[in-house]
Amino acid sequence: MRRLVAEYRLSTDDLVAPLFVKEGIDSPEPVTSMPGVSQHTVESLRKEVRALCDLGVPAVILFGIPRHKDSVGSSADSNDGIVQIALRTLRDEVGAAMVIMSDTCLDEFTDHGHCGILTASGAVDNDATLDRYASIAVAQASAGADVIAPSGMMDGQVAAIRGALDDNGFAQTPILAYAAKYASALYGPFRDAAECAPQFGDRKSYQMDPANAREALAEVDLDVAEGADMIMVKPAMSYLDVIARLRVAHDVPIAAYHVSGEYAMIKAAAANGWIDGTAVALEQLLSIKRAGADFILTYLAREVAELLN
Ligand code: PBG
């Protein structure tokens, strides 16, 4: 009877696996604060994506850690940058069998760790950053990315990227906008994995205040008007109300990012024997669906796909 009347279901079709690829390492390096997650070599990444594809996971999203960082994140859009190398490898590996998304941002590539380039006084220069994002998006699409996912929360980033993609022959490449991205304390483990903690200050001048929900609607309105094909709420569990409100207000597909800290909390409590990690993972992901998300970026993707298959 419960199966007959269930309103929502979690399926492998809902999952996007976030993956890290690092330049200049010979073997995968486990991320201590995210048990089960590694910084991949290009070769171990290829194998992981093959396994996810064989499990029926529809998509991955790629983050790169370059060997060299500088003030403008030069390797983010260079043809031989680690993300572009990985994208070409994955495109070759899976063909059209999987959606390959690319996170489009600068924080992994800048020596100061901010998501944009800086003014002389050390503030993030919104408009100068837009040119960098446009160039990175074109480099990623050229290397085979199916979806461009700008995560830097600069004003106007979707319009800038849409224009650049259209001008360079990628009018068909969709944009998944990190539209309602909060300045959250739950990104800590990710910053270990992507080696991108800000070297000074914080991201509160560009990411949203957890106190605000109406502002999320405004942010999403702007991104949709600028041409976002899909929008994202991030993190997920503390912002289910935001997902639910956006579901009512918008018809575009909504993604939720179950972030590194959310994953780490489940793993840590389960390792202590304090919770049933698998049951909590499934409950949380189902709750995100119930709130109204169409798909979920989650480090749990592989183990949940193995469970559901
Ligand atoms: C920034 C970015 C971050 C995450 C995804 N993209 C970190 C940040 O804003 O500091 C966090 C994801 C997670 O915690 O799992 N490019």
Side-chain angles (χ1 to χ4, degrees), residues 38-293:
S38 293
Q39 296 176 321
H40 284 288
T41 65
V42 173
E43 182 53 20
S44 71
L45 178 78
R46 194 183 61 71
K47 289 200 183 104
E48 179 69 14
V49 171
R50 168 50 52 200
L52 287 161
C53 188
D54 292 345
L55 280 164
V57 173
V60 297
I61 183 163
L62 200 58
F63 297 91
I65 305 117
R67 198 197 308 248
H68 301 293
K69 305 191 183 211
D70 60 28
S71 63
V72 294
S74 303
S75 56
D77 54 339
S78 69
N79 193 38
D80 58 357
I82 183 65
V83 171
Q84 280 67 255
I85 291 171
L87 285 169
R88 287 191 291 268
T89 305
L90 296 184
R91 186 82 283 149
D92 191 48
E93 174 69 26
V94 298
M98 204 176 205
V99 173
I100 303 172
M101 303 182 173
S102 190
D103 185 84
T104 301
C105 200
L106 275 169
D107 56 332
E108 295 95 1
F109 302 93
T110 51
D111 49 12
H112 46 73
H114 277 288
C115 296
I117 60 180
L118 304 180
T119 64
S121 64
V124 171
D125 187 337
N126 188 97
D127 291 5
T129 300
L130 298 183
D131 295 337
R132 298 288 300 126
Y133 286 179
S135 174
I136 298 167
V138 171
Q140 292 174 341
S142 303
D146 295 304
V147 175
I148 297 300
S151 66
M153 288 295 281
M154 297 300 134
D155 292 337
Q157 64 183 13
V158 173
I161 289 171
R162 182 73 273 154
L165 291 173
D166 290 356
D167 290 347
N168 287 276
F170 298 107
Q172 300 294 327
T173 302
I175 296 175
L176 165 60
Y178 286 68
K181 176 173 177 180
Y182 286 86
S184 172
L186 289 160
Y187 304 150
F190 174 94
R191 292 175 189 173
D192 297 339
E195 302 178 15
C196 67
Q199 297 305 300
F200 64 90
D202 54 39
R203 303 207 204 288
K204 288 181 183 161
S205 69
Y206 41 103
Q207 297 181 353
M208 288 180 54
D209 188 338
N212 292 356
R214 290 194 305 271
E215 188 185 8
L217 294 172
E219 288 281 0
V220 170
D221 285 350
L222 286 169
D223 282 2
V224 169
E226 289 177 28
D229 301 279
M230 302 171 272
I231 53 125
M232 192 195 299
V233 176
K234 176 184 172 187
M237 293 305 294
S238 297
Y239 302 91
L240 295 183
D241 59 319
V242 176
I243 297 173
R245 285 172 72 163
L246 288 171
R247 179 71 295 158
V248 174
H250 281 279
D251 291 326
V252 293
I254 298 176
Y257 200 142
H258 187 261
V259 301
S260 58
E262 300 177 282
Y263 175 84
M265 288 194 291
I266 294 177
K267 291 295 171 191
N272 275 299
W274 295 340
I275 60 169
D276 175 341
T278 301
V280 172
L282 293 173
E283 183 176 335
Q284 290 200 358
L285 298 181
L286 182 59
S287 302
I288 297 167
K289 291 285 306 282
R290 192 192 66 243

Side-chain angles (χ1 to χ4, degrees), residues 16 76 143 183 218:
V16 181

